[in-house]
Amino acid sequence: MSASDQEQTVTDSPSQQQPTRIGGLTPRQARRVRIAAASVLMVAVAAVLAVRLASRSSVLVVGVYGLALILCGGVIELSRRGRTRLGTWLLVAGLAAAVAADAFLIP
């Protein structure tokens, strides 16, 4: 091998390739999308909590929506640390549980 062949081999190393794309998004873009989605849902849950408290004040209402707000914050932190799939599943399952609790538990 000549010196130019060795230089070409060094520049074609895997560490210099583009980031792996998952579903059309790079991992960094996926984290940012999930952080933005959790933030928007956090604002929406806070607005629903305010409306529910205006119509009826109950410790159960505060508990259900308070846990949903904590869940959204946890998902933001998980996404920030790179655990986007786990965060997405927790967000979907947690918000579905909050909606079900609102429909069936809260009078």
Side-chain angles (χ1 to χ4, degrees):
M1 269 171 119
S2 67
S4 63
D5 289 338
Q6 289 176 348
E7 288 175 14
Q8 186 177 12
T9 306
V10 170
T11 58
D12 291 339
S13 69
S15 64
Q16 294 179 353
Q17 293 177 355
Q18 293 292 337
T20 305
R21 291 187 176 264
I22 301 170
L25 297 174
T26 64
R28 172 175 272 168
Q29 290 170 334
R31 283 192 303 269
R32 288 184 180 174
V33 166
R34 286 175 175 89
I35 288 171
S39 300
V40 168
L41 287 172
M42 184 181 262
V43 170
V45 167
V48 170
L49 175 62
V51 169
R52 294 284 188 206
L53 284 176
S55 66
R56 59 180 177 253
S57 62
S58 169
V59 175
L60 193 55
V61 170
V62 174
V64 167
Y65 288 106
L67 287 175
L69 286 171
I70 292 169
L71 176 75
C72 288
V75 169
I76 290 171
E77 184 61 26
L78 282 172
S79 294
R80 195 178 70 78
R81 293 177 185 250
R83 306 295 298 175
T84 55
R85 289 186 192 142
L86 175 63
T88 301
W89 282 107
L90 283 175
L91 186 64
V92 169
L95 290 179
V99 168
D102 184 32
F104 298 116
L105 293 179
I106 300 173

